[in-house]
Amino acid sequence: MPGNLQSNIWKHVIFLITNKRNFTAILGAYYLTIPNVTPQGIGIILLAGSLSGFLFEIPSGYISDKIGHKQALILGKSLLIFSSLFFLIANNILVLILASVFMSIAYSFFSGTGSAFMYETLHALKKEKDYTRIMGKIRSIGYLVPVILIVLIPFLVSINIRLPFVIALFIDIIGLLIAYSYVAPKVSQAHIEEIGVTNFKKILSQIYRIGFMKYALFLGILSGFLFAVNGFRAAYQYFLQIPIIYYGLFFGAGFALASLLIAYSGKIKASTTLSRLFAYQIIIFALLFFMLGIISSWWAVILIFILVIGLQHGLITINEGFMMDILKNEKFKATLLSVPTQIQKIATAIIGLGLGIIIKHTSYKFGFFVTGIAFCVILTPIYLYILRKEVLSKVYTALPNK
């Protein structure tokens, strides 16, 4: 069994590679090629996809914990195949919305579930202490290899703008086969019985009991801003009249940066604290949003988006590593890890729609600048609350026992 479980590690590398939406590099511009789709329409597509993901996020984690993480990954991959198919045949905004909805629901089954599945695998292999390091290497390859396909996008687009979706459909089928081939780690009978009798309300109360909600809120809203801004990346480049054939190169550069950061995620995590990491993210991303609102140079805009993509995806494993430290003794990891993503979905929906409306009535630059202000106004108080709780916790721990 340990030898079979070991195969989950290399299989998960392939699975993560097949999860990457390489066509994201051109997606915003692709939307604008569909009749009657405007920047506000992009906001509506983001809203529909994010709301559907929001509604399914925690239930999907609960379903995953109940039916098994492997089965949930298979289900998610099946939904992703339908999403790629809808993107391929889209000829109006309704089909684009449907594609976005299926993609969001699919990813709601991946978020938390894949991490919990690999944590259980490593636990069975007695390697759970190396979770951040091993997952860092896995995700590094998972981001680096798709760069090749992303770089090929310009050539695919020059043939037919729908060709990247054909490739995505083929890759999704490979991912489904990999999901079927996973070896499910054995879970204790006590764990299985507790999942069977535990009600959904009890799991939600558990989030507050262990103090996880404040971290989930911070990470969820942070990711919501990043996904919303990235949703308009290709459309803004299209507006700046940057040739669409180069979008894959820009997106690939961002993934290459992410791969580099993920490769060193274990060392980066060991060199900092959770509160410092949160502070760095507020400062860096706020500056990048403000720069998008001020700078007009096309090459500077491209560089900023490369940094946003690289940092957003490159810091995922480090953030998750800290969350796993908090949840290491909790049984319902997939469900609990779904909470930040559910918050991210609703945040993306609201921010994306608002940004689309602002852009339609003003400009892209003003929309990004306002987003930077909102980013600071919302996340800074949450961060200060987390910092205060951590300081109080340290003081309480330092007090002598009575």
Side-chain angles (χ1 to χ4, degrees):
M1 176 62 72
N4 292 334
L5 278 176
Q6 189 75 28
S7 69
N8 283 348
I9 296 177
W10 67 261
K11 288 175 184 176
H12 201 60
V13 173
I14 300 176
F15 185 81
L16 290 182
I17 291 172
T18 63
N19 279 355
K20 300 297 180 293
R21 303 293 82 189
N22 303 314
F23 55 71
T24 303
I26 63 162
L27 194 54
Y30 177 67
Y31 288 154
L32 296 177
T33 66
I34 305 300
N36 302 319
V37 177
T38 64
Q40 185 171 333
I42 295 176
I44 293 172
I45 295 170
L46 285 173
L47 174 67
S50 298
L51 282 180
S52 59
F54 168 76
L55 293 174
F56 267 86
E57 193 60 47
I58 288 183
S60 67
Y62 181 69
I63 292 170
S64 171
D65 283 326
K66 192 170 180 65
I67 69 173
H69 298 150
K70 174 182 174 178
Q71 287 73 17
L73 294 175
I74 291 172
L75 178 57
K77 206 56 176 170
S78 301
L79 293 170
L80 208 56
I81 288 175
F82 282 104
S83 171
S84 296
L85 182 61
F86 284 128
F87 275 124
L88 176 62
I89 65 174
N91 57 4
N92 59 63
I93 192 171
L94 292 178
V95 181
L96 290 175
I97 289 173
L98 196 59
S100 180
V101 166
F102 269 78
M103 183 166 67
S104 291
I105 296 175
Y107 276 109
S108 72
F109 279 97
F110 297 151
S111 67
T113 301
S115 302
F117 179 77
M118 288 308 297
Y119 188 86
E120 288 178 352
T121 295
L122 295 175
H123 178 74
L125 294 171
K126 302 186 185 304
K127 296 180 179 180
E128 67 270 23
K129 292 183 179 179
D130 295 324
Y131 175 86
T132 302
R133 180 181 61 82
I134 293 174
M135 286 302 293
K137 290 183 178 180
I138 289 174
R139 285 184 173 143
S140 178
I141 300 172
Y143 275 98
L144 188 59
V145 173
V147 170
I148 299 172
L149 292 173
I150 293 170
V151 171
L152 287 175
I153 282 181
F155 304 100
L156 299 176
V157 170
S158 65
I159 299 172
N160 190 309
I161 197 170
R162 295 179 186 265
L163 194 53
F165 301 102
V166 175
I167 303 297
L169 187 59
F170 174 74
I171 292 173
D172 286 339
I173 294 172
I174 295 175
L176 180 60
L177 295 175
I178 288 294
Y180 270 110
S181 72
Y182 275 134
V183 179
K186 286 186 177 180
V187 182
S188 69
Q189 185 63 33
H191 186 173
I192 295 172
E193 290 175 355
E194 183 158 352
I195 291 175
V197 300
T198 300
N199 58 47
F200 193 64
K201 184 178 179 181
K202 181 179 177 181
I203 294 176
L204 293 178
S205 66
Q206 185 179 1
I207 296 169
Y208 292 94
R209 177 180 60 79
I210 63 177
F212 184 63
M213 192 62 197
K214 56 183 177 291
Y215 303 112
L217 194 62
F218 182 91
L219 289 175
I221 295 175
L222 173 71
S223 297
F225 273 100
L226 293 172
F227 276 105
V229 169
N230 270 315
F232 290 88
R233 180 191 65 253
Y236 187 34
Q237 292 172 347
Y238 191 75
F239 171 78
L240 293 175
Q241 297 182 338
I242 300 171
I244 195 171
I245 61 171
Y246 296 123
Y247 293 7
L249 297 174
F250 307 148
F251 197 67
F255 263 36
L257 175 59
S259 176
L260 180 63
L261 286 173
I262 293 171
Y264 291 95
S265 57
K267 292 183 178 179
I268 296 173
K269 179 177 179 289
S271 67
T272 188
T273 63
L274 181 59
S275 57
R276 286 180 185 173
L277 181 64
F278 283 178
Y280 295 151
Q281 290 178 85
I282 290 177
I283 294 170
I284 293 172
F285 286 122
L287 286 175
L288 292 174
F289 291 160
F290 286 132
M291 289 172 68
L292 281 175
I294 296 172
I295 297 174
S296 300
S297 175
W298 65 267
W299 63 265
V301 169
I302 290 170
L303 181 59
I304 292 168
F305 275 121
I306 288 173
L307 290 173
V308 170
I309 294 168
L311 292 171
Q312 176 186 1
H313 294 280
L315 295 175
I316 287 176
T317 303
I318 306 170
N319 285 324
E320 187 180 89
F322 279 113
M323 295 304 101
M324 278 298 187
D325 290 342
I326 297 170
L327 302 176
K328 60 184 178 182
N329 297 320
E330 304 300 324
K331 290 185 172 64
F332 307 103
K333 291 182 179 65
T335 304
L336 296 171
L337 287 171
S338 292
V339 178
T341 310
Q342 189 187 37
I343 296 171
Q344 173 251 301
K345 297 292 185 182
I346 193 65
T348 301
I350 296 170
I351 298 164
L353 181 61
L355 184 54
I357 293 172
I358 293 173
I359 290 172
K360 180 182 179 181
H361 294 286
T362 57
S363 67
Y364 280 97
K365 288 174 62 177
F366 185 72
F368 292 136
F369 194 85
V370 171
T371 300
I373 295 174
F375 180 82
C376 294
V377 169
I378 295 173
L379 283 178
T380 301
I382 300 175
Y383 168 72
L384 293 176
Y385 176 78
I386 292 173
L387 189 62
R388 176 175 173 272
K389 286 292 184 180
E390 288 190 354
V391 170
L392 289 175
S393 178
K394 290 178 182 177
V395 170
Y396 180 79
T397 304
L399 289 175
N401 294 325
K402 294 182 180 180

